[in-house]
């Protein structure tokens, strides 16, 4: 199985920065794409940014130019968030696609989430 542990959330003022990190551990054959999703109160979970094992990235339009996702090593993904806005306030969840054993299906795994609050 795969365990994802997030860190780096907190409270910041509008225009500030935060860096989220997510470390994957456990027993698995391969770790493929990793990414960050967020869920604000009363809203559906949405993609923020995603990075493949080949380091291809994609971002939500709302964060392009402000957020940067990186793969620090094969098992760790970070999200640098700059120029934060109150509408970025949400619980941010790490996601990883992993194959547990050779020839097995690729499944999605989720972290518990970390709160990001941007005050106006």
């Amino acid at each position: 199985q795969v365990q994802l542990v997030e860190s780096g959330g907190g409270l910041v003022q509008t225009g500030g920065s935060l860096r989220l990190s997510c470390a994957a551990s456990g027993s698995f054959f391969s770790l493929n794409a990793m990414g960050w999703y967020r869920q604000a109160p009363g809203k559906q979970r949405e993609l923020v940014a995603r990075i493949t094992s080949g380091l291809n990235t994609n971002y939500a339009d709302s964060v392009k130019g402000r957020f940067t996702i990186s793969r620090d090593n094969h098992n760790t993904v970070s999200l640098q968030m700059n120029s934060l806005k109150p509408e970025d306030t949400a619980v941010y969840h790490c996601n990883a696609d992993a194959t547990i054993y050779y020839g097995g299906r690729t499944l999605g795994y989720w972290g518990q989430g970390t709160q990001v609050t941007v005050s106006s």
Side-chain angles (χ1 to χ4, degrees):
Q1 297 300 313
V2 180
Q3 292 82 44
L4 301 174
V5 178
E6 302 111 332
S7 61
L11 173 65
V12 65
Q13 291 186 332
T14 295
S17 298
L18 284 174
R19 185 177 179 88
L20 306 182
S21 292
C22 172
S25 63
S27 177
F28 47 86
F29 173 74
S30 67
L31 200 58
N32 306 318
M34 298 184 74
W36 291 93
Y37 290 71
R38 66 186 181 189
Q39 187 165 20
K43 295 188 176 182
Q44 290 188 328
R45 189 173 294 188
E46 63 176 2
L47 171 69
V48 177
R50 196 157 176 82
I51 185 167
T52 68
S53 56
L55 304 184
N56 294 309
T57 60
N58 66 292
Y59 296 89
D61 288 343
S62 59
V63 307
K64 283 180 181 177
R66 301 188 297 121
F67 292 10
T68 302
I69 191 169
S70 61
R71 200 91 174 238
D72 304 324
N73 59 54
H74 190 65
N75 290 0
T76 303
V77 63
S78 294
L79 185 69
Q80 178 65 42
M81 304 186 294
N82 299 328
S83 303
L84 282 160
K85 305 174 182 180
E87 50 264 43
D88 295 318
T89 295
V91 176
Y92 284 69
H93 295 269
C94 179
N95 170 266
D97 291 338
T99 304
I100 302 303
Y101 56 88
Y102 178 75
R105 292 190 302 162
T106 298
L107 301 175
Y109 295 85
W110 293 93
Q112 295 277 24
T114 185
Q115 177 70 46
V116 171
T117 303
V118 184
S119 63
S120 56

